[in-house]
Amino acid sequence: MTLFLACVFSLCVGVGSVAIMPAESLRIIWGKLTGTGDISDLDPSLVSILWDIRMPRVAMAFLSGGALSLSGAVMQTILQNPLASSYTLGVSSGASLGAAIVIASGISLPVLGTFLLPVTAFFMGFLVIGVVLVISSRISSSLQSHTVILMGMSVSLFVNALLTLLSSFAGNRLQQLILWQMGSFSGMRWYHVKILTPICLSGLLLLALHSRELDILSFGDENALSLGVSVKKGKFFALVLSTLLTGAVVCFTGTIGFVDLVAPHAVRRVFGTENQKVLPLSFLFGGAFLALCDMLSRSLLAPREIPVGAVTALAGTPFFIWLYVQGGKNG
């Protein structure tokens, strides 16, 4: 696994409009991290490209893919639906609406500066999932899976309608809104990595500590209750934490779909369904998958950049179909 991740990381930082050899990459990274080793003989622009542009971008892609995959794995487990995700429950719709409000109105707050858009997007995404959970709890006190999914889809459709209406008033800012909704890691810097890293690691740790409880919830509400698990509290905790992970990613990168479906399914197919393995492996495989997709998005038509959301869908759809075809053949 370590070798696989090292190869992926080396490939992602080396490939681009300017190729950087693995040996040069290692020298630059080692020199920057440790402060030892002479890199003065290397082209300063090469050092800047790798350390200031590609490294934080690859790190953000990896963390984002890991967080989305982890969120998808949890959603699919507790809702017992292979297509369940935070996006299904309206997180991306809410975040997109928040971004649309900021972009279309052109408002600014000196206190938040460039963070106004991601902060607004994050809280709108959280607000939507909050509405879904409140309505679902009124209908079903134990937050039954089908109730949560149906409410999520209904609220998501309503928010998408508001988003469409608002987009019609965006005027010359419409293109900016569309590009945000397609997802991108362009402009990612180290301060973005510093914000997202503790969120991802904390989410992974908390969910890993509750992996046994998640296994029990995957057996169904009645079985979980008979085994002494509080279904409502367990689902609420997992849903909120998954939403936090997805919202933290979406607010910085825009909407990036399919990662939260592909990686957890691939991990379950290869390593089994035990969440003690599924959760960390989904994080690692999801991170590697999105980092590779981002590499393709910026290098296939360089210097032009393809929206990374389009690449994940193009790469993920055939793989997803293949998984189900193989599953059907195996009975």
Side-chain angles (χ1 to χ4, degrees):
M1 177 60 69
T2 304
L3 180 61
F4 168 72
L5 294 176
C7 290
V8 169
F9 190 81
S10 177
L11 183 65
C12 291
V13 297
V15 174
S17 56
V18 177
I20 304 176
M21 294 294 102
E24 294 174 329
S25 299
L26 287 174
R27 282 185 61 191
I28 295 170
I29 294 170
W30 181 257
K32 289 288 186 179
L33 289 176
T34 64
T36 60
D38 185 16
I39 57 174
S40 59
D41 59 315
L42 296 175
D43 185 350
S45 63
L46 202 67
V47 176
S48 179
I49 288 171
L50 185 137
W51 186 256
D52 297 323
I53 299 175
R54 286 195 192 162
M55 282 281 289
R57 178 166 182 157
V58 172
M60 277 296 288
F62 182 85
L63 290 170
S64 299
L68 292 174
S69 301
L70 185 60
S71 176
V74 173
M75 289 285 186
Q76 291 154 23
T77 296
I78 62 172
L79 298 178
Q80 299 173 280
N81 189 312
L83 298 178
S85 69
S86 293
Y87 291 109
T88 308
L89 300 185
V91 177
S92 62
S93 300
S96 295
L97 182 60
I101 292 171
V102 174
I103 293 171
S105 64
I107 61 174
S108 61
L109 288 176
V111 177
L112 294 176
T114 57
F115 283 96
L116 176 61
L117 192 150
V119 168
T120 306
F122 176 81
F123 280 105
M124 283 300 293
F126 227 89
L127 178 62
V128 169
I129 194 67
V131 170
V132 170
L133 290 177
V134 168
I135 296 175
S136 299
S137 63
R138 294 291 180 88
I139 298 172
S140 171
S141 58
S142 63
L143 291 175
Q144 288 185 341
S145 301
H146 67 273
T147 302
V148 176
I149 292 172
L150 286 174
M151 283 302 104
M153 292 177 67
S154 301
V155 173
S156 182
L157 288 170
F158 177 76
V159 173
N160 280 328
L162 293 177
L163 178 61
T164 302
L165 181 63
L166 187 59
S167 298
S168 65
F169 296 101
N172 57 1
R173 296 188 179 96
L174 181 60
Q175 185 177 7
Q176 182 186 355
L177 176 58
I178 293 173
L179 289 174
W180 188 88
Q181 289 177 307
M182 289 180 176
S184 175
F185 292 101
S186 178
M188 293 293 106
R189 295 295 181 262
W190 283 115
Y191 63 86
H192 294 112
V193 178
K194 291 177 181 178
I195 294 171
L196 192 57
T197 298
I199 296 174
C200 291
L201 295 182
S202 299
L204 177 60
L205 178 61
L206 286 171
L207 289 170
L209 291 173
H210 289 81
S211 60
R212 179 60 180 165
E213 185 177 342
L214 292 173
D215 284 335
I216 296 173
L217 286 172
S218 69
F219 298 150
D221 295 352
E222 292 183 2
N223 290 327
L225 284 170
S226 66
L227 292 171
V229 173
S230 175
V231 173
K232 184 175 181 179
K233 288 183 180 179
K235 284 187 177 182
F236 185 83
F237 168 80
L239 285 169
V240 170
L241 198 53
S242 298
T243 302
L244 173 64
L245 289 169
T246 302
V249 171
V250 172
C251 73
F252 287 117
T253 67
T255 305
I256 303 172
F258 237 96
V259 182
D260 53 352
L261 295 177
V262 172
H265 278 289
V267 169
R268 287 192 182 97
R269 189 60 59 89
V270 176
F271 298 99
T273 59
E274 189 178 348
N275 278 293
Q276 190 175 7
K277 295 179 181 179
V278 169
L279 296 179
L281 289 174
S282 292
F283 186 91
L284 296 176
F285 276 94
F289 174 71
L290 190 51
L292 289 171
C293 287
D294 179 58
M295 180 202 70
L296 292 174
S297 75
R298 58 182 164 80
S299 59
L300 284 177
L301 298 178
R304 296 184 62 183
E305 187 171 314
I306 305 170
V308 69
V311 178
T312 57
L314 289 171
T317 302
F319 179 71
F320 197 64
I321 293 173
W322 177 80
L323 280 177
Y324 270 91
V325 169
Q326 290 299 112
K329 288 181 178 178
N330 293 331

